[in-house]
Amino acid sequence: MSDIKIFVTHTPNRDTMRVNNSLLYNVIAGSDFQTKEVPEGVYQDNQGDNISSLNKSYCELTTQYWAWKNMQADYYGFCHYRRFFSFSETKLKETSWGTIEYDYLDQKAMDELAFNEKDMQAYIEKYDFLIAKGVATSCMNAKSVYDHYKKAPELHIEDIELFLKIIDEKYPYLSETARELFDGQTFYPCNMFIAKKEVFEEYSKILFDVLGEFEKCADMSEYSREGYRTTGHLGERMTGIYYMYLKKQGKYRLGECDAGCVCSLLQRDLRNHLVQLAPAGELALHIVREGLKRPGWQGKRDGEQFSLAQDVEHTLVLAQLALTLAAAELVIRAACAVPAGSADARHAVKAAAVGRIVPARVLVVVVGISRMVVDDNAGDVLRHFGLITLGRGNLERRAAACGQLH
């Protein structure tokens, strides 16, 4: 019987859900930042050879590095405390995002997912590499994986170019596959995979070599909190690249697992409403572009009449309108799309967006919702599905300075 270890990533200083299963190893990713007492039976990624102190940029990959350097197994797997693999041979009902969602990971849910040692062991041993099933970029309002990354307001597309350059220089045999992933329409999310030891060790060697070089070359000193997580975002893409590379070799037993997600009603409702905002978002983009090109312009589109003010101060009103229609992503995209010479207007729109859209304990106004509190987990959902979150520093102060949304 194979020695299978699936490492479940947990956030520091949060008493998050843990499942009683002998194949699961709960690990605090970024244990260097843990200030509370560590729950019994939970591992820390700052023991032995580790990069725990780099968790702010590497995210859950500090767990992978720790497991690679300090743990022995026949199979290594990685998932999150709210996202688990499904090992069911039965096709379960999925959302449009390709996940199987539950309010709680209770016994009924675990039975549906075949989330028990016996079924998990039998399922995993049939493969050399399993990955969380890919998500179509069309579900994330993007034409390709590259386009999805480019549209993320707090990420920087030039980092993809640097990432690909490093792969070209260090691992040229992966170059073609890397570009196929970014040009393609399938995104493999969450850094979730299970790999046989030999495959895992080879992949980890490549992954941390590439990411280490990226951190040496990239300047992230002025990035936002989310932007500073770029290394983790690139690692997520690297998992898909390596999986696609293995497929080309034709000698590995490969598979894609459905993912079960513990998603609160709040998170699900927020996500669904934001998805419904896509048409309104395009309208908001049109409004901001036209308004900043021609101050005082009055236009009518889709039956709605809008009057736009002349000066930069009143552009904040315009930003509020776009914010209400489309949340943060399209506001920032619009701010970046204004004509040359409109630096003041661009600054005003971006400042309004940054001050108003935040992922924790601040009210977010969207069409069809008068009030909704977005917690940390909901912010995680927004990031995962290619929507938007912004930095968490001084959230209440920044929201108050911008007029407090109610």
Side-chain angles (χ1 to χ4, degrees), residues 57-61 191 211 229-237:
S57 60
Y58 276 78
C59 310
E60 66 271 9
L61 294 176
N191 281 317
L211 297 184
R229 293 159 56 99
T230 291
T231 309
H233 284 289
L234 295 178
E236 200 172 19
R237 276 71 181 174

Side-chain angles (χ1 to χ4, degrees), residues 281 284-289 292 322 328-339 345-346 349-350:
L285 189 60
H286 172 77
I287 291 167
V288 176
R289 278 177 172 163
L292 295 180
E329 179 185 5
L330 286 163
V331 176
I332 293 182
R333 282 170 57 193
C336 295
V338 299
R346 182 187 296 111
V349 176
K350 187 172 289 190

Side-chain angles (χ1 to χ4, degrees), residues 8 20 127 148 206 256 258 278:
V8 185
N20 184 20
Y127 296 93
H148 176 230
I206 295 170
E256 297 187 21
D258 290 329

Side-chain angles (χ1 to χ4, degrees), residues 144-147 149 159-169 171-188 206 210 234 236-246 248-249:
S144 65
V145 175
Y146 185 90
D147 186 47
Y149 198 98
D159 290 331
I160 294 297
E161 306 306 330
L162 174 58
F163 178 64
L164 291 172
K165 182 173 182 261
I166 292 169
I167 291 175
D168 289 343
E169 292 173 352
Y171 302 96
Y173 60 89
L174 293 176
S175 294
E176 181 182 33
T177 307
R179 283 166 175 78
E180 288 172 357
L181 175 103
F182 283 107
D183 291 340
Q185 289 79 48
T186 304
F187 174 53
Y188 296 95
I206 295 170
V210 170
L234 295 178
E236 200 172 19
R237 276 71 181 174
M238 193 72 195
T239 310
I241 292 169
Y242 195 71
Y243 168 64
M244 290 172 60
Y245 168 75
L246 292 178
K248 289 183 176 181
Q249 305 312 299

Side-chain angles (χ1 to χ4, degrees), residues 8 13 20 24 29 85 101 123 174 214 270 362:
V8 185
N13 302 308
N20 184 20
L24 303 183
F85 295 104
E101 292 188 351
Y123 193 103
L174 293 176
F214 172 81
L270 174 64
V362 176

Side-chain angles (χ1 to χ4, degrees), residues 64-367:
Q64 182 178 332
Y65 185 94
W66 172 80
W68 175 41
K69 293 294 185 178
N70 298 284
M71 301 295 281
Q72 293 298 318
D74 297 320
Y75 283 88
Y76 295 78
F78 300 89
C79 62
H80 308 260
Y81 70 89
R82 290 186 300 107
R83 300 190 190 100
F84 295 91
F85 295 104
S86 170
F87 299 99
S88 174
E89 299 288 355
T90 303
K91 184 66 176 175
L92 301 176
K93 183 179 178 180
E94 299 177 348
T95 68
S96 59
W97 304 100
T99 56
I100 307 159
E101 292 188 351
Y102 298 95
D103 296 331
Y104 308 97
L105 193 64
D106 54 16
Q107 191 58 52
K108 180 177 181 293
M110 287 193 285
D111 288 345
E112 286 186 359
L113 297 171
F115 208 73
N116 63 79
E117 290 94 331
K118 181 180 177 182
D119 288 332
M120 291 166 67
Q121 188 96 28
Y123 193 103
I124 291 168
E125 287 179 337
K126 294 187 294 184
Y127 296 93
D128 298 314
F129 191 93
L130 285 163
I131 192 170
K133 189 171 71 174
V135 177
T137 56
S138 58
C139 293
M140 301 179 288
N141 194 31
K143 298 176 182 177
S144 65
V145 175
Y146 185 90
D147 186 47
H148 176 230
Y149 198 98
K150 185 177 181 179
K151 286 180 176 178
E154 292 187 84
L155 300 181
H156 304 264
I157 198 63
E158 57 267 24
D159 290 331
I160 294 297
E161 306 306 330
L162 174 58
F163 178 64
L164 291 172
K165 182 173 182 261
I166 292 169
I167 291 175
D168 289 343
E169 292 173 352
K170 286 180 166 283
Y171 302 96
Y173 60 89
L174 293 176
S175 294
E176 181 182 33
T177 307
R179 283 166 175 78
E180 288 172 357
L181 175 103
F182 283 107
D183 291 340
Q185 289 79 48
T186 304
F187 174 53
Y188 296 95
C190 303
N191 281 317
M192 286 176 58
F193 68 92
I194 302 171
K196 206 166 185 179
K197 179 174 182 168
E198 297 78 11
V199 178
F200 171 69
E201 290 184 340
E202 179 63 22
Y203 171 58
S204 294
K205 178 183 175 183
I206 295 170
L207 173 69
F208 291 108
D209 186 26
V210 170
L211 297 184
E213 186 66 23
F214 172 81
E215 292 226 327
K216 288 179 186 176
C217 298
D219 180 8
M220 297 189 288
S221 59
E222 296 186 4
Y223 281 12
S224 66
R225 183 183 185 280
E226 183 62 28
Y228 197 67
R229 293 159 56 99
T230 291
T231 309
H233 284 289
L234 295 178
E236 200 172 19
R237 276 71 181 174
M238 193 72 195
T239 310
I241 292 169
Y242 195 71
Y243 168 64
M244 290 172 60
Y245 168 75
L246 292 178
K247 286 175 73 173
K248 289 183 176 181
Q249 305 312 299
K251 60 181 181 180
Y252 296 99
R253 300 172 300 165
L254 308 175
E256 297 187 21
C257 275
D258 290 329
C261 180
V262 181
C263 184
S264 72
L265 293 175
L266 170 64
Q267 295 166 327
R268 191 177 308 160
D269 197 29
L270 174 64
R271 186 195 66 203
N272 291 339
H273 277 289
L274 284 173
V275 170
Q276 293 166 11
L277 284 172
E282 291 306 316
L283 173 59
L285 189 60
H286 172 77
I287 291 167
V288 176
R289 278 177 172 163
E290 294 301 316
L292 295 180
K293 277 195 284 187
R294 291 184 283 171
W297 171 81
Q298 291 190 351
K300 188 173 183 180
R301 183 176 173 184
D302 294 338
E304 296 291 332
Q305 183 81 32
F306 297 98
S307 178
L308 305 178
Q310 294 186 1
D311 54 57
V312 172
E313 179 181 356
H314 284 88
T315 304
L316 292 175
V317 177
L318 178 63
Q320 176 70 61
L321 172 62
L323 175 64
T324 303
L325 288 168
E329 179 185 5
L330 286 163
V331 176
I332 293 182
R333 282 170 57 193
C336 295
V338 299
S342 301
D344 290 340
R346 182 187 296 111
H347 175 76
V349 176
K350 187 172 289 190
V354 170
R356 284 178 162 84
I357 295 293
V358 288
R361 291 181 290 282
V362 176
L363 296 176
V364 177
V365 179
V366 292
V367 172

